[in-house]
Amino acid sequence: MSDALSLLQQRHSAPSRQLGEPAPDAVGLRALLEAAIRVPDHGKLVPFRLIELRGHAKLKFGAQLAERAIRRDPDLPESKREKERLRYTFAPLVMVVVARLQADSGIPDIEQKLCAGNVAYNILLGAYALGFGAQWLTGWAAYDPEVAALLGLAKNECVIGFVHIGTPIADIPDRDRPALDDLLSEWKA
């Protein structure tokens, strides 16, 4: 079997809480992102962009999200408040994948979002290929207008995902996967 297929068969997400230092350095991250943006792109719109969160800025972003979570739900239980406060303290690097929707292009929004989603998935695959762990998360923050403003998103932009990247600090067992035979059919005329 080819190494590429082996990589796909072994790839799995590493929970962000189980990711620590190191993350890819600047050279490794650039190579990863240059590979990640090689996605199918109907109309050659490049309907995506990336925002890097690292170091103090990542922690400040996480703290502001935790404050927003509590404003959104003042009755949020303490356990969930703590989860929100810690969310951005584990993985040393978070890449925000943003879709830039171009309504006047004639390309449906869903295709543009799928293009950006492919970038997020390529980041996951690339991180795994380089020996790192990664997890693609969304949650409430991906859809919150105040978070969009905090990130400086334009009206035609939306968060596709927050991809947390680092080195796994524990063995991460793979989860059960669906059986292909349960998913595959053949269309017959």
Side-chain angles (χ1 to χ4, degrees):
M1 180 173 310
S2 79
D3 288 341
L5 282 181
S6 178
L7 175 76
L8 289 173
Q9 290 176 328
Q10 294 174 30
R11 192 223 62 87
H12 60 276
S13 293
S16 62
R17 291 176 166 265
Q18 295 179 8
L19 295 172
E21 293 284 356
D25 62 16
V27 172
L29 179 60
R30 183 165 187 88
L32 169 60
L33 296 179
E34 285 177 343
I37 63 173
R38 294 179 58 93
V39 294
D41 180 2
H42 187 185
K44 300 177 187 173
L45 300 177
V46 190
F48 54 83
R49 68 183 180 98
L50 304 166
I51 301 170
E52 179 181 345
L53 301 173
R54 195 189 287 261
H56 178 71
K58 175 187 65 89
L59 295 174
K60 186 170 176 87
F61 177 77
Q64 290 178 334
L65 260 60
E67 291 171 9
R68 172 65 181 135
I70 294 166
R71 282 196 319 275
R72 281 173 46 102
D73 183 3
D75 297 326
L76 196 64
E78 184 54 39
S79 62
K80 291 190 177 182
R81 289 174 185 233
E82 185 69 5
K83 183 177 180 180
E84 293 293 344
R85 282 193 283 270
L86 295 175
R87 186 177 308 275
Y88 285 82
T89 63
F90 301 104
L93 171 64
V94 178
M95 293 303 306
V96 185
V97 180
V98 176
R100 295 187 306 180
L101 304 178
Q102 299 173 38
D104 61 347
S105 70
I107 307 300
D109 285 358
I110 186 66
E111 291 187 28
Q112 295 181 57
K113 287 181 180 178
L114 287 169
C115 179
N118 280 323
V119 172
Y121 188 62
N122 276 355
I123 293 171
L124 287 178
L125 285 176
Y128 187 76
L130 292 173
F132 295 99
Q135 185 177 31
W136 175 354
L137 298 172
T138 52
W140 67 268
Y143 310 103
D144 186 86
E146 285 189 31
V147 175
L150 179 63
L151 288 167
L153 302 190
K155 289 183 181 183
N156 68 321
E157 295 182 320
C158 61
V159 172
I160 292 296
F162 302 95
V163 183
H164 297 243
I165 305 169
T167 299
I169 57 174
D171 286 335
I172 300 160
D174 200 6
R175 64 175 172 84
D176 289 337
R177 302 294 173 164
L180 177 60
D181 291 339
D182 294 340
L183 305 170
L184 179 64
S185 63
E186 180 181 348
W187 185 84
K188 297 182 183 188

